[in-house]
Amino acid sequence: SNGSIRLHQMTSEYPLMQWNDSTNGQPVIALQWALTRPAVFFVLDASSNIYIWDLLENDLLPVAKQTVPSENVVAMTLLGEPEKTNGLLGIALAKESGQIDIQYVKKKWALP
């Protein structure tokens, strides 16, 4: 609820990494690991900002931030086929009106 993100290992109650205020204090609505690239995850906050984290590139801050204009995004999920190496990765965004928006991710964050 405060925008902090913690990375845990299943065998420990203590986080391996913790990023406080990672969304400028906005609650995290959704977080999902990339299906095609294990070091990348995506975060959606309550202000309809999407943050892309690539832990191999920078483990302190997100590598990109994109604001979804005009309408609140209430849910996010990733689309892709992890067994294929074509680097196609999409984000499905559900908006408050019920509209679904699908966007493709740049290959540099999608390729295995």
Side-chain angles (χ1 to χ4, degrees):
S1 66
N2 65 1
S4 66
I5 298 171
R6 296 194 297 177
L7 175 65
H8 282 267
Q9 186 174 5
M10 296 296 288
T11 57
S12 174
E13 64 183 282
Y14 302 104
L16 295 172
M17 295 282 294
Q18 181 167 331
W19 300 277
N20 294 320
D21 200 33
S22 63
T23 58
N24 296 318
Q26 290 296 313
V28 173
I29 302 298
L31 185 149
Q32 191 170 355
W33 287 98
L35 302 170
T36 56
R37 189 176 174 95
V40 173
F41 64 93
F42 297 78
V43 176
L44 170 66
D45 75 11
S47 293
S48 299
N49 295 305
I50 299 170
Y51 301 84
I52 302 173
W53 290 77
D54 184 344
L55 299 179
L56 296 178
E57 187 177 326
N58 187 341
D59 64 358
L60 299 176
L61 299 167
V63 294
K65 175 185 171 185
Q66 178 68 46
T67 301
V68 179
S70 73
E71 193 178 343
N72 283 343
V73 177
V74 295
M76 170 187 80
T77 192
L78 298 180
L79 312 166
E81 298 177 275
E83 64 278 354
K84 293 189 177 179
T85 59
N86 60 6
L88 282 178
L89 181 66
I91 301 176
L93 304 170
K95 297 184 176 181
E96 215 168 33
S97 66
Q99 180 182 1
I100 303 293
D101 188 15
I102 297 177
Q103 300 181 6
Y104 286 99
V105 175
K106 287 183 179 180
K107 288 201 182 273
K108 71 178 186 175
W109 295 312
L111 286 171

